Amino acid sequence: MISLPEPKPEILARRASILADLARLLPADAVIGEEIRLRPYETDGLSAYRQMPLAVVLPRTTQEVAEVLRYCHANEIRVVPRGAGTSLSGGALPLADAVVIGLMRMNRIREINFEDRYAVVEAGVTNIGITKAVEGEGFFYAPDPSSQLACMIGGNVMMNSGGAHCLKYGVTANNLLGVTFVTIEGEVVEIGGTHLDAAGYDWLGLITGSEGQLGMVTEVTVRILRGPEGARAMLAAFDSVEVAGKAVDAIIGAGVIPVALEFMDKPCIHACEAFAHAGYPLDAEAMLIIEVEGSQAEQDMLLGRIRDICAQFKPISMKLAESAEQSLAIWKGRKGAFGAVGRISPDYLCMDGTIPTGELPFVLRRIGEMSTQYGLGVANVFHAGDGNLHPLIMFDANDPESFRKAEAFGADILKLCVEVGGCLTGEHGVGVEKRDLMTAQFTARELDLQRDIKSAFDPGWLLNTAKVFPLEGNARIAA
Amino acid sequence: MIAPGDEAGVAEAVRAAHAAREPLAIEGRGTKRAMLRPVQAARTLSTRGLTGITLYRPTELVISARAGTPIPEIEAALAEHNQQLIAEPPDTRALFGVEEPATLGGVVGANLSGPRRITWGAMRDHVLGIRAVNGTGEVFRSGGRVLKNVTGLDLCKLLTGAHGTLGVLTEITLKVLPRGESSGSLVLRVADIASGVRALSAALGTPYGVSGAALLPEGHGAMQGCLAIARIEDFAESVTYRLDRLRAELAAHGEAALLGREASEALWRDIRDAAPLNPAPEEAVWRLSLAPSRAPAACAALRQAFDAKLLLDWGGGLVWVAGPATEAAHGAVMQAAAGGSFTLFRGPDALRAAVPVLPAEPLPLAAIGARVKSVLDPAGILNPGRLRA
Ligand SMILES: Cc1cc2nc3c(=O)[nH]c(=O)nc-3n(C[C@H](O)[C@H](O)[C@H](O)COP(=O)(O)OP(=O)(O)OC[C@H]3O[C@@H](n4cnc5c(N)ncnc54)[C@H](O)[C@@H]3O)c2cc1C
Ligand SMILES: Cc1cc2nc3c(=O)[nH]c(=O)nc-3n(C[C@H](O)[C@H](O)[C@H](O)COP(=O)(O)OP(=O)(O)OC[C@H]3O[C@@H](n4cnc5c(N)ncnc54)[C@H](O)[C@@H]3O)c2cc1C
């Protein structure tokens, strides 16, 4: 179990007056203090952990965010920034003595410029909301996390989120031009803008993926791209994980970078097929979903090349979509993978480590062995192009022993990722979930250096305290 | 000059300098000594002794090399597997009048990206991992060797483009990509810079994956007039198809011609290296980064202020400027860059010491920057004065 720091008793004792102060700073409907209305904020996508916050505020403007931060800074009150609360690593988990600053009301699109190919949006606009606003002109916002219907661009910036198409289009960091950033002191600064590559230190790059440790983001300028003429998918099934891995290597070695390259193991194929009836091959040990883009003729050419490469590895079966509908059918199982696993197991933990793709057969074999050892099922879906593993560990949340085992199993997988040259998280962030594993990837001094950089932004350690950095050895968090 | 043969030697040299409170100029092969502000340091620490590719996995799209490895050596190794540096960094030898090739550390330290930046991202977007020595002589790592990694604070980004002021890069891991099987360009003769930027915006707004979009106001070689150029790099069939589509869709923007692979590659090498700018030896060179639609007005203002030579890349978003190395010309550049960013890329020491070589930061950020600097380099010995007075 992950522990949170002891709440500061003097802050808890002042709760009523803090709420009254916040109500003076913000419109009445923007401050939440009653238990029944606080309840929805007690957890995020890592729902095994729950903690009621001191208060929740829902500002509508950058100025209001700045006011709240200035107030909290002056009064040494901890804050927890929150977007849609879909973080799977507990990044938005409240603390008992913290004010949650939720940005869901900052959901306006400020400007769209097709000529210069950018959009300026408030931090609470959903990821899909950006694409919706520009798709009429054939444009889209590239990073597409599976949570894109709900998650917000501010949360995406702070988690540096990716999606199935990031092999080609990159993650959030590669698609940003600027942010409006509010420091813990309540100072509002513009970082970047509507141009590429500001001179000087790359604050935008440092803030991206910083998980609410450095300040809050209230507006974001993103690059928008013209969408391709079309896209089509194929699937290829193999009788061993090793061979499927070799096919992936051969595709990339031949200079073909598909827009998406997804890998599913046997348990995942079965779970998805039972759920979506997508026509997946149930006799396969591993299956690839490969998507290409371009004109009809280009899609034919690329899928033809990929089919010829896969054919060298004696696939059990291959299916090339003939139409957009057939593509959707191929994707349907994959897109529903989490829900599908949810149907065959009462609960699951979604892990998120990254490995060098060459280590895939070894890592999947080890995960299989651990699954037997822990007595818990695991299904693997995997962004094969970039080595981002998502083992789904199945357990029963009503059984504390089962949960404890699932967590230990997950930690073992992540340590394995680091051992083979990978890392603890590819897209979901460290949050509270992987906080205590950071020592597996970094030396004590390297962690201290990162903590010192955080201190340069947030000397009092008020921003999203107790996330990302292990509590142990962290002198800066006063209990 | 100190040029240690390994990382431990770099750490040792920095530790000694830190103990003695003795500033160090940090460089690879010193090709960019004339960039930004002159450094005030008695001694120079060079990474030229740290060479060699330490890991290359073509199918994993990653390469690692020690910081002093010359860029041509890395490009050659990648070319053997038909791969390339994604950001297409310029070869600045001609611009800086030096013989030696840039090192990997220098290109990453300066975050130098070329034409492909417009679609495929900047140098910093492809830095997956670093090893570095901070200002007290400690070795630290950030990132790793996998394509996706969001573990902890991304110090790779912080050090990329910091010009050696926050640490000495000793080893760098980059994402790489296959080289397009073929390439070609559409060349449009346009009336002026404004119509050229409009043509390039239209090109970048098509679904054809334009990977280079430059504007040559004075023509190039045998091609006279103001030229807007859009590049496609892809499989051969796609290049043919996409260039044809592009020509049809952009027909209204000007007289058009297509360049085949060889002519196109030669032209884009020139654009990458800013060769068409052709500055006189005594002239200064600036790089401005702006929203493309603001470039025409900026260019007009610069031409009014002085006899500005211009070259535009990134769809108009990058403006290379050459002109007299005077404070007046520099003032005009700063003004033209309002709302964007600029660097004094090349100039005589006197000018570089007298003017801000990049835009001022908002005060709160400057304060944070000073604290970050003192975390990584508490005695202020790494490249003092390089970025700001
Ligand atoms: C079903 C499901 C599928 C998912 N699939 C993917 C996927 O494919 N790829 C992927 O990358 N992630 C995925 N995620 C994880 C999650 O959606 C992303 O991390 C997302 O970016 C979080 O956005 P959010 O708005 O919900 O942020 P929250 O969960 O509210 O917050 C995330 C973190 O950012 C901080 N934060 C939020 N907003 C701000 C702000 N404005 N300023 C400062 N800090 C802020 C919070 O404190 C927290 O640390 C998935 C989650 C779910 C539930
Ligand atoms: C605006 C403009 C101004 C010019 N001004 C001058 C001038 O002042 N003086 C002068 O002498 N010349 C001028 N030219 C001509 C220009 O220099 C030549 O067109 C060019 O240099 C020839 O390059 P190349 O060697 O690739 O051409 P070539 O190889 O002779 O021909 C064009 C190449 O394009 C390839 N190609 C054709 N269609 C496609 C396609 N759909 N996809 C991919 N590749 C294709 C062909 O394979 C061929 O290799 C001008 C051209 C333009 C557009």
Side-chain angles (χ1 to χ4, degrees), chain B residues 50-123:
Chain B
L50 306 182
T51 58
I53 292 166
T54 49
L55 173 137
Y56 177 28
R57 294 279 157 73
T59 58
E60 291 176 7
L61 305 174
V62 292
I63 192 166
S64 307
R66 295 195 186 92
T69 313
I71 292 288
E73 193 175 318
I74 294 172
E75 286 176 334
L78 293 173
E80 275 183 40
H81 292 268
N82 276 315
Q83 294 190 331
Q84 63 189 2
L85 291 176
I86 307 169
E88 208 179 359
D91 181 344
T92 52
R93 271 177 279 198
L95 263 186
F96 289 120
V98 294
E99 304 271 304
E100 292 199 84
T103 62
L104 178 61
V107 166
V108 170
N111 187 27
L112 267 188
S113 317
R116 217 175 281 121
R117 198 265 172 266
I118 185 75
T119 22
W120 288 98
M123 202 65 208

Side-chain angles (χ1 to χ4, degrees), chain A residues 157-176:
Chain A
V157 170
M158 284 299 161
M159 293 315 220
N160 195 11
S161 300
H165 291 89
C166 65
L167 180 59
K168 173 159 178 198
Y169 293 110
V171 292
T172 304
N174 311 126
N175 289 278
L176 294 182

Side-chain angles (χ1 to χ4, degrees), chain B residues 22-33:
Chain B
E22 197 182 80
L24 285 176
I26 310 299
E27 63 179 41
R29 293 187 174 220
T31 61
K32 297 176 193 64
R33 234 170 262 161

